[in-house]
Amino acid sequence: SAAADITGVARGVAFQLVEALGVLERARVADQVKGLEQPERATLRKYGVRFGAYHIYIPALLKPAPSALVATLWALKNGGLDIAGLGEVMRLAASGRTSVTIDPAFTRQLYPTVGYKICGTRAVRIDILERLADTIRPLIAWRPTVEQPEPPQGAINGYGFTTTVAMTSLLGCAGEDFAGVLKALGYRVERRPVP
């Protein structure tokens, strides 16, 4: 927040990132991010900012100690340390689990404060969602070429993909839970008979 070399549109993105405690949904600042020049992006990256498909975030804040501090600060600002689920969500962040089923008794905003995005009935770690996006993107873009006439595992011709074991193991869930995560990310599920 005090960096003198972050200027212009990048300063606005940095301010919002600080206000959001290090995790900002990309859709909230999509227009501003489009306006960022490469040198401005490089300056933000120098400070540890990562530009993902769904989030702009600081990966160092997803580690157990920083995320516990962020959750504590958020709780102090929003009602005190007796907020439902605070201790459990901080332990969740320390456990390294990639996704968990949401507990309806917990305050929902606690999940994002420790680096998890609520997707359907699950909370998925933000860096894992970005890895999932990095896995899916080339599968959707694949087209048969002379060099690669056969699709990679999970790719289908026609702007789609099929779920692979690598994707489900990345998130630690499968079936309807995994489908719920994909739907929350904006993907459309289409069931087809297996040939």
Side-chain angles (χ1 to χ4, degrees):
S1 66
D5 58 342
I6 299 176
T7 58
V9 177
R11 187 109 184 116
V13 173
F15 175 78
Q16 289 184 61
L17 190 58
V18 168
E19 289 293 308
L21 301 173
V23 176
L24 187 59
E25 288 197 29
R26 191 173 181 130
R28 281 184 47 193
V29 291
D31 292 335
Q32 293 166 333
V33 170
K34 285 179 190 174
L36 286 176
E37 300 293 331
Q38 287 305 320
E40 293 173 312
R41 286 177 187 252
T43 302
L44 289 170
R45 284 188 186 105
K46 180 178 82 173
Y47 288 101
V49 175
R50 176 153 179 338
F51 292 86
Y54 305 112
H55 298 89
I56 297 169
Y57 64 104
I58 301 173
L61 293 179
L62 301 180
K63 295 184 183 303
S67 68
L69 176 61
V70 168
T72 302
L73 293 173
W74 182 88
L76 288 170
K77 182 180 178 186
N78 293 286
L81 297 176
D82 58 346
I83 288 179
L86 177 62
E88 293 85 351
V89 170
M90 287 184 355
R91 281 190 288 283
L92 164 68
S95 74
R97 302 232 357 232
T98 57
S99 74
V100 293
T101 302
I102 294 170
D103 189 328
F106 296 173
T107 305
R108 287 179 68 90
Q109 187 56 35
L110 283 173
Y111 290 103
T113 62
V114 294
Y116 286 75
K117 178 176 175 64
I118 296 174
C119 296
T121 60
R122 297 193 70 80
V124 183
R125 223 172 59 206
I126 287 165
D127 58 333
I128 298 301
L129 284 178
E130 299 302 339
R131 283 177 53 193
L132 179 65
D134 293 343
T135 302
I136 292 172
R137 193 176 308 111
L139 298 179
I140 292 173
W142 177 82
R143 297 293 172 270
T145 62
V146 174
E147 297 85 27
Q148 189 181 18
E150 294 298 316
Q153 184 180 8
I156 58 172
N157 203 0
Y159 302 101
F161 67 95
T162 60
T163 303
T164 64
V165 173
M167 291 177 199
T168 57
S169 64
L170 184 64
L171 267 65
C173 67
E176 291 302 317
D177 285 339
F178 188 78
V181 170
L182 291 178
K183 285 178 188 174
L185 295 176
Y187 294 102
R188 189 179 76 238
V189 176
E190 181 180 314
R191 300 191 190 284
R192 296 180 183 175
V194 176

